[in-house]
Amino acid sequence: MTAFAPLLGLLEEVPDHRRAEGKVYQLAYVLLFSILAIVSGGNSYRSIVTFIEMHRPRLNEVFGLTWRRAPAHTAIRYILQGLDSDAVETAFRGHAKLLQAAHAKPDGGSLAIDGKTLRGSFDAFRDRAAAHLLGMFATDTALVLAHSEVDEKSNEIPAAQALLVELGLAGHLVTLDALHCQRKPSSSPQRPAPT
């Protein structure tokens, strides 16, 4: 349990959107076990339930729980879909910061910022473009330190600048795509002129 104590402590700070009465499963443990299931190859709510059920006796023993069964996949879905994404990102950034401090090289490594479009995130029903995330990667520890969603009406440039300010990374070597080398960065993507 001691290895997971820092992460569990950060996950306990994520607000629980469920009503106070009838909470059989504590949010921090549901989140931690969901993370473990996903890291172990799970890719659905049902796979999270399968992971918890298969490892439930050991999880109960290690974490001092008395779960008689795993939550239903509908309960997992309800819990995860109702999370405050900013609070979860804050918890992950806090955990990454702890790991980075413990394992970073004394001279420090560089940081790499890159954007990726999330596959399958386009939502035609809600008329929403595919989600575009910016990630910050520490090259010396191979840790992702932060994520930031790029506004759909903007591009990576202002998102990267905001992320650097948020994390207070003055004095660090940061690598970015050539897109960030513009003399006058605009807030909207540049489109090539028709020929």
Side-chain angles (χ1 to χ4, degrees), residues 65-152:
L65 301 173
T66 57
W67 289 11
R68 293 185 184 146
R69 62 182 175 277
H73 74 279
T74 53
I76 297 284
R77 181 180 64 218
Y78 174 72
I79 291 168
L80 296 182
Q81 287 184 349
L83 290 173
D84 176 357
S85 60
D86 291 335
V88 174
E89 177 64 20
T90 300
F92 281 132
R93 285 184 186 185
H95 185 59
K97 187 175 182 179
L98 292 172
L99 292 173
Q100 181 69 8
H103 301 288
K105 294 177 182 171
D107 57 350
S110 64
L111 302 171
I113 296 179
D114 194 22
K116 297 290 180 213
T117 301
L118 295 181
R119 182 176 47 170
S121 61
F122 173 75
D123 190 346
F125 184 74
R126 292 186 178 96
D127 196 28
R128 186 182 188 289
H132 190 82
L133 290 182
L134 204 59
M136 180 173 294
F137 179 79
T139 59
D140 60 339
T141 56
L143 289 169
V144 176
L145 301 179
H147 290 99
S148 180
E149 188 166 1
V150 177
D151 188 286
E152 38 180 290

Side-chain angles (χ1 to χ4, degrees), residues 41-62:
N43 60 3
S44 68
Y45 301 117
R46 290 182 193 273
S47 64
I48 293 170
V49 171
T50 301
F51 174 88
I52 294 171
E53 193 54 47
M54 285 179 61
H55 299 283
R56 187 179 45 78
R58 180 81 172 129
L59 294 171
N60 279 342
E61 177 188 332
V62 170

